[in-house]
Amino acid sequence: KSLFIMSKEQSKSTIYVGGLASKVNSETLHAAFLPFGEIIHISIPTDQNKEHRGYGFIEFEDSFDAEHAIDNMDGSELFGRVLRVNLSRQHGQSSSIDNKDKYRSVWSTDTDKYVQLLNKDELDKKMKSQKDAQRILEKARELAIRPSGPLAPKQNDK
């Protein structure tokens, strides 16, 4: 077991790739991520049985290439599994994420905000459509009370 500690520059060019299928190896990752830039190092941690744990790290020569890989590969599929790709945090560095949020997906906070805004928009639309419906009903009531069509001349009794 080696302790892998990254420098600040390495941490900006090293990405985490999670959700790997069991048959993925370093050659597979290299082939999948090579289109985004020069790869310096690939690490896929293994357990006692020499099987990988479902994630790996790819260090690019340039941090721009790492960002490009994240933008293009996060959420994509490899051997039927959806990849989670993001900038790697330094190992051993204290994380800003609380323990309760440790297993939360990286997109869930933004998704929650989006859904809240979406719900607000839906409520606004419903309120507007209810107000429109109320106005239409009021107009219909007014029209129902008013006589319609040509008015027949009143006949005077003589």
Side-chain angles (χ1 to χ4, degrees), residues 126-143:
K126 283 181 183 177
M127 297 268 295
K128 187 176 187 294
S129 66
Q130 284 177 348
K131 288 177 184 174
D132 290 344
Q134 191 173 11
R135 257 185 292 187
I136 291 169
L137 286 173
E138 287 172 8
K139 276 273 201 222
R141 279 190 209 110
E142 288 174 16
L143 291 173

Side-chain angles (χ1 to χ4, degrees), residues 82-144:
V82 177
L83 298 179
R84 292 179 317 278
V85 183
N86 52 48
L87 204 54
S88 177
R89 291 191 306 259
Q90 287 183 327
H91 297 279
Q93 176 183 349
S94 62
S95 174
S96 61
I97 299 174
D98 295 337
N99 276 341
K100 64 182 175 138
D101 292 334
K102 185 176 179 180
Y103 298 105
R104 249 183 122 173
S105 60
V106 291
W107 59 85
S108 65
T109 303
D110 292 337
T111 303
D112 292 345
K113 289 177 187 174
Y114 174 75
V115 169
Q116 287 172 349
L117 290 174
L118 187 64
N119 286 341
K120 184 178 183 258
D121 288 345
E122 284 297 316
L123 284 173
D124 289 346
K125 285 179 186 176
K126 283 181 183 177
M127 297 268 295
K128 187 176 187 294
S129 66
Q130 284 177 348
K131 288 177 184 174
D132 290 344
Q134 191 173 11
R135 257 185 292 187
I136 291 169
L137 286 173
E138 287 172 8
K139 276 273 201 222
R141 279 190 209 110
E142 288 174 16
L143 291 173

Side-chain angles (χ1 to χ4, degrees), residues 35-93:
F36 306 107
E38 188 67 32
I39 296 172
I40 295 173
H41 181 72
I42 295 177
S43 169
I44 303 177
T46 57
D47 60 16
Q48 302 90 330
N49 300 327
K50 301 290 183 201
E51 293 180 18
H52 72 72
R53 299 176 182 181
Y55 65 90
F57 300 95
I58 302 173
E59 182 183 349
F60 286 91
E61 189 173 279
D62 189 301
S63 60
F64 176 76
D65 295 339
E67 288 295 328
H68 191 59
I70 292 167
D71 292 343
N72 286 279
M73 294 298 284
D74 186 41
S76 65
E77 279 190 34
L78 185 63
F79 290 117
R81 301 275 307 266
V82 177
L83 298 179
R84 292 179 317 278
V85 183
N86 52 48
L87 204 54
S88 177
R89 291 191 306 259
Q90 287 183 327
H91 297 279
Q93 176 183 349

